[in-house]
Amino acid sequence: MNSQAVKLRDYVSGAFDENVRFKKYRELWKEVECCNTLTDYPMMLDVELSGICNLKCEECFQNGSIEGKLGFMEMSLFKKIIDEGASKGLCSIKLQIRGESFLHPYWCECCCYAKEAGIMDIQITTNGALLDEVNIQQILDSDIDGIVFSVDSHHGDSWEGIKDGEKYESSVINNIKKFLERKKQHNRGPWVRIQTSLSVVNDNTYSETKDFVYKNFTGVDAVVVNRIHNFSNYEDSYPDLRENYELLPCKHLFQRLAIFWDGQVTTCCMDYNNKFGLGNVNTQTIEEIWQGRKIERIMQY
């Protein structure tokens, strides 16, 4: 790691209130995003509470591509990660990588522990399939700062296949709408982003989809439209990549690490079988891994 790297703990800590602290974190995030600055510790950790998913979407790695065992992260390991992160200035965590975090029996306790430790920004990504009255209230009462609902047709196809024809629209979609209504009524809860994936993304489909989501999900804070990524090792997801896209460095490499449920560390969910093998937090510190030679070589590449 570059000796000139910003010491994250010193940068975001100090004698100022939480609003100032958060602002400094976001300013630094943008600096790192532009590859203008390095930090001595990841600003964000993607923490996999559950490697297990309740859906098996056709083009997802959960549909037979993951080689290793999947399970739930132990609370002791989660606390170890948070304790180290809090002492080093960790700003944010996202509680999801490959699986559905709301399957974890102690997800709410995990959020509470992280917030009490001083983690400013706690996010969670979900397919929304487990939303019910109990979960909705738990989320509204929890320490989650942001929730991302992944809503699209391939989730619907998987849901209806598992539920023997039960309509995705009348169950999952309606429950997300109910959550947004309840959030508005109580005037509290996390910011909400809906992300959806399309097989074809162009100016028309992009605009139409965003307009549709904003119209049908009242109260959503942001909408992200992506192109469906096929995670199969035997198919090219983007055969037109070099023709139609400008290839830029991956900014996530300089901002965050991903920690699977069993402690293995990699860059992000794209390495869903942990081919990079950056380390394991059961036997190493996150700081050691972040400043290690393996990730340095990836960043330089």
Side-chain angles (χ1 to χ4, degrees):
M1 181 64 65
N2 190 313
S3 61
Q4 300 301 312
V6 171
K7 292 189 179 299
L8 188 59
R9 180 178 57 189
D10 295 342
Y11 188 89
V12 299
S13 301
F16 37 73
D17 64 29
E18 282 300 301
N19 290 332
V20 176
R21 185 169 169 245
F22 188 86
K23 182 181 178 182
K24 287 178 71 69
Y25 146 54
R26 294 310 299 172
E27 288 172 349
L28 183 59
W29 181 272
K30 291 179 181 177
E31 283 289 308
V32 175
E33 187 174 69
C34 297
C35 303
N36 294 329
T37 304
L38 292 175
T39 58
D40 68 337
Y41 198 83
M43 301 184 69
M44 184 175 191
L45 294 175
D46 294 345
V47 182
E48 186 177 76
L49 292 185
S50 170
I52 301 166
C53 190
N54 51 342
L55 298 182
K56 294 290 182 288
C57 301
E58 182 179 353
E59 292 169 312
C60 181
F61 41 67
Q62 286 281 358
N63 196 16
S65 294
I66 296 177
E67 297 167 358
K69 181 181 177 183
L70 296 173
F72 298 132
M73 181 173 283
E74 295 286 344
M75 278 295 292
S76 58
L77 180 56
F78 180 81
K79 289 180 178 180
K80 179 178 185 290
I81 292 167
I82 296 301
D83 290 347
E84 181 192 339
S87 73
K88 298 296 180 179
L90 177 68
C91 302
S92 178
I93 57 173
K94 180 171 77 69
L95 299 177
Q96 191 268 342
I97 302 178
R98 298 174 297 180
E100 173 53 54
S101 295
F102 287 129
L103 287 172
H104 195 286
Y106 303 115
W107 70 263
C108 198
E109 288 87 341
C110 289
C111 293
C112 182
Y113 188 87
K115 185 59 73 173
E116 289 181 353
I119 307 304
M120 287 185 280
D121 187 16
I122 301 174
Q123 304 174 22
I124 199 163
T125 299
T126 175
N127 56 43
L130 295 177
L131 269 188
D132 56 20
E133 290 291 339
V134 174
N135 250 353
I136 287 174
Q137 195 59 49
Q138 281 186 312
I139 295 168
L140 291 175
D141 293 338
S142 74
D143 289 300
I144 296 174
D145 296 289
I147 186 166
V148 180
F149 290 108
S150 188
V151 178
D152 39 49
S153 59
H154 57 283
H155 282 164
D157 293 340
S158 179
W159 166 264
E160 291 176 6
I162 292 170
K163 293 294 182 177
D164 194 25
E166 183 178 338
K167 294 301 180 184
Y168 183 67
E169 174 73 30
S170 61
S171 52
V172 178
I173 300 299
N174 280 349
N175 283 337
I176 295 174
K177 291 179 179 180
K178 186 183 296 183
F179 171 80
L180 289 167
E181 291 170 3
R182 192 77 58 81
K183 177 177 178 286
K184 182 179 179 181
Q185 290 170 2
H186 292 273
N187 194 29
R188 73 171 189 269
W191 55 257
V192 179
R193 185 172 81 214
I194 289 182
Q195 61 185 28
T196 187
S197 298
L198 307 175
S199 55
V200 176
V201 177
N202 54 43
D203 289 344
N204 289 334
T205 59
Y206 177 82
S207 299
E208 289 172 359
T209 302
K210 288 196 77 168
D211 290 345
F212 176 84
V213 173
Y214 275 121
K215 181 179 178 180
N216 286 273
F217 293 89
T218 305
V220 67
D221 298 291
V223 177
V224 175
V225 180
N226 296 312
R227 185 171 166 182
I228 290 178
H229 185 95
N230 189 328
F231 283 91
S232 170
N233 290 322
Y234 308 105
E235 295 184 41
D236 191 343
S237 288
Y238 306 124
D240 60 339
L241 185 65
R242 294 186 179 277
E243 298 172 13
N244 296 329
Y245 294 88
E246 181 182 359
L247 301 183
L248 300 172
C250 177
K251 55 194 177 186
H252 285 181
L253 278 175
F254 303 92
Q255 296 167 324
R256 62 213 285 181
L257 284 176
I259 305 175
F260 291 146
W261 69 276
D262 57 357
Q264 295 184 78
V265 180
T266 186
T267 53
C268 67
C269 68
M270 299 301 289
D271 184 28
Y272 54 84
N273 278 320
N274 193 29
K275 299 299 184 184
F276 287 146
L278 297 181
N280 193 307
V281 295
N282 285 294
T283 56
Q284 298 168 273
T285 66
I286 298 165
E287 183 176 39
E288 288 171 347
I289 296 169
W290 182 251
Q291 298 186 10
R293 183 62 183 148
K294 282 187 176 181
I295 195 166
E296 185 178 5
R297 286 201 301 267
I298 296 172
M299 286 179 175
Q300 290 173 344
Y301 180 77

